[in-house]
Amino acid sequence: MTDPSQLLPLLEAFPKTRVAVIGDLMLDRYIWGQACRISQEAPVPVVQVRRETQVPGGAANVVRNATCLLGQVSAFGTIGTDRHGDTLLQLLTEAGADVSRVLRTENRPTTIKTRVLAGNQQVVRIDREETDPLPAAITARLLEAVYAALDGDAPPGAIIFEDYAKGLLSKEIMQQIVDDTRPRGIFCALDPHPGNPFKVKGLKLMTPNRAEAFGLAGVYYKPTVLPLENDEALLEVGRRLQHDWEVELLLVTMGGDGMALFMADAPPVHIPTRAREVFDVSGAGDTVTASFVLSLLAGATPVQAAELANYAAGIVVAKVGTKPILMEELVQHLRELL
């Protein structure tokens, strides 16, 4: 494990990093209340609503995590011309993100995930979304916006693809961007969805959770076995993904069992979990992706980047709801470990 005193200086370089996030932008809505009784109409709790909140979700949560870590972040994706799209743009703007290249579409509503919570327990989630592939005309506009940023005065150092299987990303789009950015010294990372085994070649980083990794590899899921060198199922999945996707770094998150980092030129490394309390894992994967990419841009080694991402995720899962990691929280936590 890297001494926290060696990780803290890396955070000082985060404000100089520039990242583009391309993916399925969403709005997460939370209805908070208390379960007062069981309904007479059906065997379900009756939730007395106390308050409602709205936060960026999906790819938008990766944008918010990266901005809260002081990175310079541009968002790319589509939202509707509805009021929920207005809200999402406002939230991202307030977080400090550049939303000037987010496309608004009349026939494709903003993706919304509404969660009803009784106390800290999620009762139900209601999704409103459109998952058909983007029309060709909108895809062309999206690529035009991306290349305008790449050709601008301050291009990103990294691109994060956030795939939630809502129809925005395709293998062709991602492969084109990966192939065109590598000669420019820009690396690409993917937070994949198991329903879309795109097998894009040349990625710097992939960040699936354990179940997603098994799904992407086409292997029947098996639970974690520690130490990592004894987890033959995961080691085989890691080897298969590295070979099939030709990815340089593969970071598999495993919840309470930590993370497994697979590298092209070194043996796999297990990073034990740093979470002190776990209340809600919603959005923790977004925190991992954002913090890992910013760490690499700041000059961290892959292992250091994984450790910083692990610390960041450990802070986020102690919060209820989709919450970002704040730079001051991460700095304070690392200083407490000195």
Side-chain angles (χ1 to χ4, degrees), residues 25-40:
L25 304 170
M26 308 180 196
L27 182 67
D28 281 359
R29 298 181 64 243
Y30 289 86
I31 300 174
W32 307 83
Q34 294 294 328
C36 53
R37 56 190 170 85
I38 299 298
S39 172
Q40 296 178 342

Side-chain angles (χ1 to χ4, degrees), residues 10 19 21 51 84 101 148 167 184-185 190 193 197 202 236 251 264 266 274 308 316 326 335:
L10 294 169
V19 179
V21 178
R51 61 190 175 97
H84 301 296
R101 295 185 173 92
R184 303 175 186 228
L190 170 64
H193 190 282
E236 174 57 29
L251 183 69
R274 303 300 177 197
L308 278 170
V316 165
L326 303 178
R335 285 176 176 169

Side-chain angles (χ1 to χ4, degrees), residues 80-91:
T81 55
D82 45 43
R83 61 184 176 88
H84 301 296
D86 295 337
T87 299
L88 183 52
L89 284 184
Q90 179 181 350
L91 290 171

Side-chain angles (χ1 to χ4, degrees), residues 92-284:
L92 290 178
T93 300
E94 291 173 351
D98 176 6
V99 297
S100 62
R101 295 185 173 92
V102 174
L103 304 180
R104 306 204 69 170
T105 59
E106 294 184 1
N107 299 322
R108 195 179 184 93
T110 304
T111 299
I112 310 162
K113 292 184 178 180
T114 302
R115 297 171 175 88
V116 179
L117 293 97
N120 292 334
Q121 179 66 48
Q122 186 175 149
V123 177
V124 67
R125 194 182 89 184
I126 304 164
D127 291 2
R128 297 177 182 176
E129 60 189 20
E130 172 63 63
T131 59
D132 291 337
L134 281 183
I138 299 177
T139 297
R141 289 174 56 197
L142 175 65
L143 286 173
E144 182 181 352
V146 171
Y147 280 93
L150 294 175
D151 294 331
D153 295 333
I159 293 175
I160 300 174
F161 297 114
E162 276 292 322
D163 185 21
Y164 284 83
K166 306 305 178 190
L168 183 130
L169 291 173
S170 67
K171 178 177 180 179
E172 292 72 24
I173 289 175
M174 289 191 290
Q175 192 65 67
Q176 177 181 334
I177 294 173
V178 170
D179 291 343
D180 290 344
T181 53
R182 289 182 73 182
R184 303 175 186 228
I186 300 170
F187 71 80
C188 293
L190 170 64
D191 186 1
H193 190 282
N196 291 332
F198 292 133
K199 295 185 181 178
V200 178
K201 309 293 185 181
L203 293 166
K204 175 81 170 183
L205 169 69
M206 278 178 59
T207 57
N209 62 36
R210 185 182 179 95
E212 291 169 341
F214 276 74
L216 289 166
V219 175
Y220 184 76
Y221 181 84
K222 292 184 179 180
T224 302
V225 176
L226 294 177
L228 179 61
E229 54 266 27
N230 293 338
D231 196 337
E232 296 181 3
L234 180 61
L235 294 176
E236 174 57 29
V237 164
R239 286 191 292 267
R240 185 171 299 191
L241 291 179
Q242 285 179 295
H243 176 269
D244 291 349
W245 291 67
E246 297 177 10
V247 61
E248 181 179 336
L249 301 172
L250 173 67
L251 183 69
V252 180
T253 57
M254 303 185 295
D257 294 312
M259 304 175 177
L261 176 63
F262 295 83
M263 296 169 280
D265 55 358
V269 175
H270 177 234
I271 297 100
T273 184
R274 303 300 177 197
R276 291 170 291 187
E277 294 180 290
V278 178
F279 286 110
D280 193 341
V281 298
S282 299

